[in-house]
Amino acid sequence: TALVATMVLLFVLLHCDVAHAKTWIVGDEFGWDMVIDEEVWPQGKTFYAGDVLVFNYDYQRSNVVAVNRTGYITCTANEGATTYNSGADHIPLGHGQHYFIDTYYEPSCAAGMKIAIFAKA
C-alpha cells in the first residue's frame, strides 16, 4: 500500500504542475511585432517552468532567436543559439532565465524586439 500511496502522490504532484502551466501570447494581441516595445511586455507577469511562449509574427519580416545573456545585450545570435522562423512558434520554458531576440532585420532588436523572461520552478 505504501507503493500505491507513493504513486498516487506522484500523480497528484505531476498533475498539479501541468494544471499550473500557462500559454502566453508574446505581445498579446499585437504579437511579436515592432508595434509595441516587447521588452516591456513581460513586466508584471509571473512565468513558471512548463509555461509556453507563443510568438506570432510575419515570418517574412521577423524571427525569434533564443540566445544567451550576451546575445540579448548585444542583439546578436550567439554560437549555439536556436532560431525559430515559423511565424507561430511555441516555446516551452524550463526553469531559469530565457532570452529571445529578433535578428531578421538588424535594427529590430535594438528597437525593442527582445525579451528576457525568468521562469520560476
Side-chain angles (χ1 to χ4, degrees), residues 74-115:
T74 62
C75 286
T76 57
N78 54 275
E79 185 174 329
T82 302
T83 301
Y84 301 89
N85 55 17
S86 75
D89 307 314
H90 290 68
I91 303 173
L93 296 174
H95 173 259
Q97 191 67 52
H98 301 271
Y99 300 99
F100 303 95
I101 64 173
D102 183 335
T103 64
Y104 190 88
Y105 177 63
E106 190 174 334
S108 297
C109 178
M113 288 288 289
K114 63 183 188 175
I115 59 171

Side-chain angles (χ1 to χ4, degrees), residues 10-80:
L10 181 61
F11 174 80
V12 169
L13 290 173
L14 290 173
H15 179 71
C16 288
D17 287 342
V18 172
H20 291 292
K22 181 171 180 171
T23 299
W24 297 89
I25 307 297
V26 176
D28 300 317
E29 69 271 10
F30 298 105
W32 181 241
D33 194 284
M34 293 290 296
V35 171
I36 66 169
D37 186 348
E38 297 292 353
E39 283 185 282
V40 174
W41 177 81
Q43 294 177 4
K45 297 172 176 65
T46 304
F47 301 92
Y48 293 93
D51 286 358
V52 176
L53 298 181
V54 177
F55 290 83
N56 292 320
Y57 56 93
D58 180 348
Y59 71 92
Q60 294 177 325
R61 292 185 8 213
S62 295
N63 66 9
V64 177
V65 184
V67 295
N68 62 20
R69 185 173 187 277
T70 301
Y72 177 79
I73 292 168
T74 62
C75 286
T76 57
N78 54 275
E79 185 174 329

